[in-house]
Amino acid sequence: MAHIDQQRWNSILNETKIKHPIDKSVQELFELQVEQTPESIAIVFGNEKWTYRQLNDQANKLAHYLHKLGVNADTLVGLFLHRSVQMVIGLLGVLKAGGAYVPYDPTYPQERLDTMFREVSVKILLTQESLTNQLPIHKTRVVFLDKNWSEFSGEDTRNLTGQLGTPENLAYVVFTSGSTGKPKATAVSHIGWSNLLNWFSQEFQIGLRDKVLVVSSFSFDITQRSLLMPLVNGAELHLLASNYFEPDLILNTIEASQITLLNCAPSPFYTLTESQSHQKLNQLRSLKKVFLGGEPISASRLQNCLSCESFTAEFVNVYGVAECSDVSTFYRLHDFERYAVSSVPLGKPIFNTKVYVVDEQFNLVPNGQIGELCIGGDGVGMGYLNDQVLTSEKFIPDPFNPQLKAKLYKTGDLVRYLSDRNLEFIGRLDHQVKIRGMRIELGEIETSLRQHTSVQEAVVLVKETSSEDKRLVAFILPSVSQGCGDEQTNKTIEEKLRQHLNNKIPQYMIPNKFVFLKKMPLNPNGKLDRKALQNILIFAEESNSEKPKTAIEIAIAAFFAEALNADKVSFNEDFFDMGGHSLLATQVLLRIKEAFGVDLDSSVFSSPKGTSVASLAEIVMEARRQLE
């Protein structure tokens, strides 16, 4: 009966089917808009203003040229361009020729760019002459949209017709970061993308009065919707002159251009608004909607915006993955006080999207229980280019859909249903760890930490020195009122957090170490950079650690390392924080007795000073002096 009830629950939740222009490719949706509003402004870039007719004409010239070069359905064309009108002309020109584009961000590190160019073989690369020195060594045909413009400036300005592919064909390929650090080339079809754009249009009534500002990297999946969302609705697309996320420039542009809609990852948005005066935040008063996606939202970090009377925009949590055309569920955020102490829900599915929460055997889990989120429907992408093994692992036949070709995407995200049928994000499958036999979900610890008033942001990682020595490390961004202070201030905050966690989670889930930061490191897509956090930890330990100097300190360090099965140990870190426990502490005391003839009681390990190599060495030296 419970299983039947769960199926009924999922059936109600997944009643999302709605007609959308499934027979139209994305560029055809743009062309329809051009017919309706040819003289309306389509793009604003600095002092440049282009109408829909002008933009369409130039994109058509490029499309005819590319088509003569052999670009047709599923042909991959690279776009290696600075943020500019040429970038949009290039994108539309590729789509109009029937091809699929691959966006490369020139601001990315050269090593990552080289990897991206190797992973996907493009037939043609559209770029600008100023980027010549950054181009990889390749045999791809390069077309400079500035220097070579005369080659196709005389081409036909009419829309291409004929066999240019179907909506089931490839629209674009974006790279997502894998757990191995190697970028994955994710393929998205026109069906999924047009469904997303249609949902945005209808759900939020996007129209002629709207103005959308692009602030994210060209290679980011958020950017693809930011670029086309306005252009299929008669709205204005605004491009920043800078390729980087510059808060002052963004604020000034929003005010000067009266921007109404903004797509952004949460972390960069916080840097835009936190610690700003209300006078500065007044520059955001034109915003109607702010779509935040790509990572969990910390509602407490939006409070500075909300306290400004002139800021009236609605926040929307848009959850999704590039593998499923960017957005699969959404939640309109209103009750900020509630979510200051709990996570912001992922919400419910968008048009023509199905979501399932399953266990390891792929059974639907009861409401309130945690399982992996799987996504089905029109948004499910075409897989990973050149990686059939990973594609077959993550894109599987949909057991809940009788249609023969229906696929599900296994997100790897752990979620659960709330009583109001909204989904709640818990963490990542690959962020689950097992320490001393206990399975731990790092996201649960992070959520508990964020609920404390001293914390703006918290991230928990595992430091593994051996297969048997795993420790939890919490990286803390203190609240604005607390700030990242001196050692004593941070120690006080740490004590408060430990007390707070004692009331929230089991003892074995409390982090062994707390690292306080002035800001969280972000990757080029504006998401949290976990690899950088690992590097911060290594650097902090190497730069701040003292080494044993005396014979007693050296010996005790060796005893710690022996008990903990570690190559080396910290001089000042507590034995228990390094993964020790009472039985191992007894082993250390026996070794001290053998080496120095000092019989210490186990109570020394509950010393107020803590039991580090340094403090225990002092105790041993004092005990030896008393024996003399």
Side-chain angles (χ1 to χ4, degrees), residues 96-153:
K96 282 169 165 286
Y101 70 91
V102 187
Y104 300 95
D105 188 336
T107 66
Y108 274 14
Q110 192 63 46
E111 183 178 344
R112 182 175 178 83
L113 284 172
D114 290 343
T115 301
M116 292 165 70
F117 279 118
R118 285 196 303 270
E119 283 298 304
V120 174
S121 177
V122 296
K123 183 180 182 70
I124 297 170
L125 184 64
L126 305 182
T127 187
Q128 293 155 327
E129 189 175 13
S130 60
L131 294 171
T132 302
N133 293 335
Q134 290 180 249
L135 294 176
I137 299 174
H138 56 79
K139 297 180 181 179
T140 301
R141 177 163 185 167
V142 175
V143 175
F144 295 99
L145 292 187
D146 43 10
K147 186 174 69 173
N148 298 142
W149 185 255
S150 59
E151 294 183 20
F152 44 86
S153 59

Side-chain angles (χ1 to χ4, degrees), residues 273-315:
T273 59
E274 282 181 338
S275 304
Q276 299 281 17
S277 66
H278 281 190
Q279 181 179 359
K280 200 73 173 171
L281 290 175
N282 282 336
Q283 294 181 284
L284 300 176
R285 61 185 175 275
S286 63
L287 289 176
K288 296 178 182 177
K289 297 280 189 298
V290 177
F291 302 102
L292 298 179
E295 61 186 359
I297 296 172
S298 173
S300 62
R301 299 187 69 179
L302 302 175
Q303 288 301 322
N304 195 38
C305 275
L306 301 172
S307 64
C308 179
E309 290 185 4
S310 64
F311 184 88
T312 59
E314 178 186 34
F315 286 104

Side-chain angles (χ1 to χ4, degrees), residues 460-473:
V460 179
L461 300 182
V462 175
K463 178 173 171 54
E464 185 171 349
T465 57
S466 70
S467 59
E468 297 179 5
D469 180 21
K470 298 177 182 177
R471 287 176 280 155
L472 298 173
V473 180

Side-chain angles (χ1 to χ4, degrees), residues 95 162 183 187 208 255 284 299 312 375 392 437 443 453 465 513 521 555 561 570 579 591 599 615 624:
L95 293 176
L208 300 179
E255 181 180 39
L284 300 176
T312 59
I375 299 173
S392 59
T453 55
T465 57
K513 185 179 184 68
S570 170
R591 297 289 279 122
D599 193 0
S615 62
R624 292 191 70 185

